[in-house]
Amino acid sequence: MRQSGLTGVARWISRLGMAAPAIFLLELHRPFSPIAGQAALFFQPVLGVFFDDESITRLSHGLSDAHSLDELIRQLESGL
């Protein structure tokens, strides 16, 4: 996931006041992130109703990439 995309997601989560629960859930589900990325691709036809294909593909890559998760957690902890 691109840096600007991560920053946008972190800001959105922080704006909702959900940074702490998001960090908790991201850390909790870290071992399952590659599976979550594949699940996003599997459910792409259903998710396609709500999101465009490019967004789903970026989500899948972001969930599968440990560096992206680490960066998102770091940004949430810094309190964007």
Side-chain angles (χ1 to χ4, degrees), residues 26-72:
L26 286 169
E27 291 288 356
L28 182 68
H29 292 96
R30 182 186 299 270
F32 304 107
S33 63
I35 296 169
Q38 293 302 311
L41 290 177
F42 180 78
F43 289 109
Q44 188 168 6
V46 175
L47 294 173
V49 174
F50 305 103
F51 307 101
D52 61 283
D53 287 340
E54 183 181 335
S55 295
I56 297 169
T57 303
R58 283 194 322 241
L59 171 67
S60 172
H61 290 292
L63 288 173
S64 298
D65 183 21
H67 175 71
S68 294
L69 287 176
D70 290 339
E71 182 62 24
L72 180 58

